[in-house]
Amino acid sequence: MKKWNLKVKSNPQEISQNLKSALESVDGLMFNLNHDKKNSIKFKMRKRIQYAWYLIYINNVVVDGKLSKTEIENETDVEILFSQHFLWKLVIFTHVFLVLCIVIAIILGKISSASAYLFGAGILAIGILLWITVQKKYERNVQEYKTLISKILKF
């Protein structure tokens, strides 16, 4: 998870209207806007993933944001939290679980063939490669959202 804090010289209602008008019309983007009881506005956006293989191509970051008024008139605190989509976490944890099961089976002596060692090493290598690739893609996607949001907020 990454956190991004900034101050914008506008009130929260204007910012929420700008976000709403700019992002609701984007096809394939889910955007929710909620007014909180504490005089703040929360929003959430992410790209819709309809099929599992879209994970590779689509921006898979979930953005949670909060707009809150500051003590200075006509200024807003913007807190944005970027996190990975649940499906990516599921894929990575599945690989970790498979590798742990194979390691436990090797330690307990249930598996002793060379092909099982090769299979375990292959799954471990795929998991490490997948994790590195996902982290790089996550960084790129966070930067895309930051660029999009900064263009909308015009700060």
Side-chain angles (χ1 to χ4, degrees), residues 53-67:
W53 57 85
Y54 280 8
L55 278 173
I56 298 168
Y57 306 108
I58 291 181
N59 186 334
N60 58 354
V61 175
V62 177
V63 179
D64 290 316
K66 181 179 177 183
L67 308 172

Side-chain angles (χ1 to χ4, degrees), residues 38 82 85 115 119:
K38 296 180 182 177
F82 302 98
H85 198 279
S115 62
F119 178 71

Side-chain angles (χ1 to χ4, degrees), residues 24-77:
E24 275 192 341
S25 62
V26 177
D27 190 33
L29 186 74
M30 187 210 69
F31 180 75
N32 289 334
L33 192 67
N34 297 324
H35 295 277
D36 199 0
K37 293 178 183 175
K38 296 180 182 177
N39 212 7
S40 64
I41 300 170
K42 293 184 179 184
F43 64 91
K44 185 174 189 169
M45 68 178 155
R46 67 176 171 83
K47 294 250 180 142
R48 289 189 184 114
I49 298 177
Q50 296 174 344
Y51 305 106
W53 57 85
Y54 280 8
L55 278 173
I56 298 168
Y57 306 108
I58 291 181
N59 186 334
N60 58 354
V61 175
V62 177
V63 179
D64 290 316
K66 181 179 177 183
L67 308 172
S68 54
K69 193 170 188 155
T70 62
E71 294 175 5
I72 301 171
E73 188 175 331
N74 213 17
E75 187 176 82
T76 303
D77 278 332

Side-chain angles (χ1 to χ4, degrees), residues 69-133:
K69 193 170 188 155
T70 62
E71 294 175 5
I72 301 171
E73 188 175 331
N74 213 17
E75 187 176 82
T76 303
D77 278 332
V78 181
E79 292 180 25
I80 300 175
L81 184 68
F82 302 98
S83 59
Q84 285 185 330
H85 198 279
F86 170 73
L87 291 176
W88 267 124
K89 291 178 185 177
L90 184 67
V91 167
I92 292 171
F93 287 128
T94 301
H95 273 82
V96 169
F97 180 73
L98 283 174
V99 169
L100 284 176
C101 287
I102 291 171
V103 167
I104 289 171
I106 290 171
I107 290 172
L108 293 176
K110 302 288 183 184
I111 298 176
S112 60
S113 66
S115 62
Y117 292 130
L118 288 175
F119 178 71
I123 289 181
L124 180 63
I126 289 171
I128 291 171
L129 183 66
L130 181 67
W131 183 75
I132 291 169
T133 306

